Amino acid sequence: MQPNTKKVTEAEKYYMLLATRLAKRWDDCGRFTDLSDNERQAVVLAVVGYFQDIVTDAGIWRSFTMMHEHLYGKPLPFFPRSENYIDYELNLDDLRFLIWYALEGQHYKNFNISPFNPDIDWLAEEFYKILDEVYETAPDSVEYNIKTGVDPEDLEDANSIFELSSWLFYHCYFMKHASKITIAQAHIEARDMLQKEGESAMEKIQDLYDRVMLSEPCGPLALPIGEWVQMVATGELPKPCESKKIETHHLYTDFMKANGKEIGFFKDYDALAAFLTGEMGWEQEEGGVLPNLKEYGNFVVLANKEHGILIAPNVAQFVAMEGNALYNQTAAAREAHTLVTEPGRCPADLIRYLFEHHLLPDAVLPADDTGEILHANWDFLARLYLQSYYPQ
């Protein structure tokens, strides 16, 4: 997990001993006894990586909290900015979030533990005591500050930019927990190549890893690696994209004429097909219109000025909206959270529309039956869990 793997420095020895000290404190506390050794190790290493980061000012944590503040008006998900919070330094709330995030990164079933779990709070406080004690004397890990001398705008720094990108995406303490599915899929594909072709596949495998790194978003905010590099190297937010003039899609116009509002609900395929062919004038095709949807029901159709229309099956039962006869409060309370926790479950534009228009009032998370965490952090959670399925 260190940028420089060719040698072990004195600073790295120090932080390894610090990790051992944190792990020993955890062993002695009797909390989270149901976690495996690998899960506990992942949490401790994430915490020590964070500590190295802020001591060295490597820029990773700074980039995350800076962008989160830009997006949501506060440095961290879940927690309001406390009176004692100091930007880019050691904070108790940082540890609370980071412990939760590292635990989430060990599982493929999402949000089964709350960031407000008393054991997380206790563990964060114990870790904070140890880290605060050594904060002023901990060594500056020079090798950890991999951003030194990297200029994202300078083509002559291409090798350094690529090296920083690769380390951030695949190895640093912070990004990989959110990108676990993407990275796991790349590892599986690489293993298959190696089994089929042996050592001759190494160049293809490297190309695979490079392609994934450059094409997939990463980290808890699901940003392209280039934006993370920009923030880490410069300490500044990425430059905003130039806004483009949006021309109203003809399907948006057609749907509004046929439906009278931007969103519509259809019980089954027959009702949907009848609307598309009868009200919107789509041509009948052999096998039916959109035959791949025949086995589904509870459709939501949303009109979007830029993209036209989107059709989402098995969602209408969650939507508490006047005129939606398919709404089922029990189903919404039980499953509506999957729209933001299961990749591919629902189109991103529809997720945004439903939450922005407060149409999922009964949605709650498995570890928070109040719904407060979900409704206050839905966009962050969608970024974290859906990654490339939630384009920005």
Side-chain angles (χ1 to χ4, degrees):
M1 295 172 67
Q2 302 296 301
N4 180 6
T5 58
K6 296 179 181 178
K7 61 179 180 178
V8 178
T9 67
E10 291 302 313
E12 287 168 356
K13 292 178 183 178
Y14 174 92
Y15 287 107
M16 190 63 191
L17 290 173
L18 181 61
T20 304
R21 183 179 173 189
L22 295 178
K24 177 66 166 58
R25 182 69 190 98
W26 193 348
D27 288 341
D28 294 340
C29 77
R31 305 284 180 121
F32 283 130
T33 55
D34 58 332
L35 297 181
S36 69
D37 289 343
N38 287 340
E39 289 170 321
R40 288 152 63 94
Q41 183 183 78
V43 171
V44 169
L45 292 177
V47 169
V48 173
Y50 154 82
F51 191 62
Q52 274 187 279
D53 183 355
I54 60 170
V55 167
T56 308
D57 191 21
I60 304 154
W61 189 257
R62 175 190 292 269
S63 299
F64 168 64
T65 55
M66 178 176 64
M67 178 57 88
H68 193 278
E69 180 108 43
H70 171 71
L71 292 171
Y72 307 113
K74 57 180 184 175
L76 295 172
F78 314 131
F79 304 100
R81 178 186 283 272
S82 71
E83 294 181 359
N84 299 324
Y85 192 90
I86 302 175
D87 288 327
Y88 320 136
E89 296 193 15
L90 176 66
N91 290 284
L92 179 58
D93 282 347
D94 289 349
L95 295 177
R96 290 186 175 113
F97 169 73
L98 188 60
I99 291 169
W100 173 85
Y101 170 65
L103 285 172
E104 279 290 287
Q106 307 311 303
H107 303 277
Y108 291 91
K109 195 172 182 181
N110 294 323
F111 214 96
N112 284 308
I113 185 170
S114 167
F116 300 103
N117 182 291
D119 285 345
I120 288 181
D121 192 58
W122 187 92
L123 192 60
E125 290 183 359
E126 291 300 306
F127 284 179
Y128 180 83
K129 292 174 187 176
I130 294 173
L131 298 178
D132 186 51
E133 177 187 318
V134 300
Y135 185 48
E136 299 297 334
T137 58
D140 188 349
S141 182
V142 177
E143 291 81 4
Y144 201 80
N145 203 337
I146 195 173
K147 70 179 181 183
T148 303
V150 175
D151 182 357
E153 306 296 329
D154 190 345
L155 292 178
E156 293 186 0
D157 279 358
N159 288 337
S160 297
I161 294 169
F162 192 84
E163 182 181 355
L164 174 56
S165 300
S166 182
W167 180 72
L168 285 173
F169 193 98
Y170 287 110
H171 302 294
C172 92
Y173 75 94
F174 193 57
M175 303 297 172
K176 61 184 183 178
H177 299 296
S179 307
K180 58 180 180 279
I181 294 176
T182 297
I183 294 174
Q185 289 172 338
H187 287 338
I188 291 171
E189 192 172 344
R191 182 197 62 197
D192 291 344
M193 288 182 182
L194 195 60
Q195 289 177 343
K196 291 177 181 177
E197 304 179 37
E199 293 297 320
S200 62
M202 293 308 297
E203 186 174 342
K204 291 182 181 178
I205 290 173
Q206 188 59 56
D207 288 343
L208 165 67
Y209 283 129
D210 294 348
R211 185 173 68 255
V212 169
M213 176 187 72
L214 296 172
S215 63
E216 295 290 334
C218 62
L221 294 175
L223 301 175
I225 192 62
E227 292 191 10
W228 286 113
V229 169
Q230 174 76 25
M231 290 189 291
V232 169
T234 68
E236 299 176 355
L237 293 170
K239 297 175 183 177
C241 298
E242 294 183 9
S243 58
K244 58 181 180 179
K245 183 179 179 181
I246 298 175
E247 296 184 4
T248 302
H249 199 287
H250 72 91
L251 286 178
Y252 174 87
T253 304
D254 293 346
F255 185 82
M256 291 298 291
K257 287 180 180 178
N259 191 61
K261 51 189 175 184
E262 292 178 320
I263 192 168
F265 307 95
F266 303 89
K267 180 180 180 180
D268 52 29
Y269 173 80
D270 289 341
L272 174 65
F275 174 82
L276 294 175
T277 57
E279 303 299 325
M280 291 190 65
W282 289 22
E283 293 184 6
Q284 285 279 9
E285 299 177 7
E286 186 177 350
V289 63
L290 303 177
N292 58 311
L293 297 178
K294 283 187 176 182
E295 62 183 280
Y296 299 102
N298 284 339
F299 292 98
V300 176
V301 180
L302 178 69
N304 179 285
K305 287 186 177 181
E306 182 177 3
H307 301 137
I309 64 171
L310 60 84
I311 302 172
N314 197 27
V315 173
Q317 69 272 28
F318 305 146
V319 184
M321 182 176 178
E322 185 177 355
N324 177 20
L326 304 174
Y327 168 62
N328 183 315
Q329 186 177 24
T330 302
R334 184 179 61 247
E335 300 177 48
H337 69 277
T338 60
L339 303 186
V340 299
T341 61
E342 293 185 8
R345 176 73 173 78
C346 182
D349 285 345
L350 181 55
I351 294 172
R352 294 188 181 100
Y353 185 92
L354 295 177
F355 277 101
E356 288 171 355
H357 290 80
H358 311 290
L359 297 177
L360 298 170
D362 303 299
V364 297
L365 291 160
D368 175 42
D369 59 9
T370 70
E372 293 177 5
I373 294 177
L374 175 58
H375 290 278
N377 301 275
W378 63 266
D379 186 72
F380 166 75
L381 291 169
R383 286 171 178 259
L384 171 65
Y385 292 130
L386 306 185
Q387 294 286 306
S388 61
Y389 287 91
Y390 193 69
Q392 307 307 312

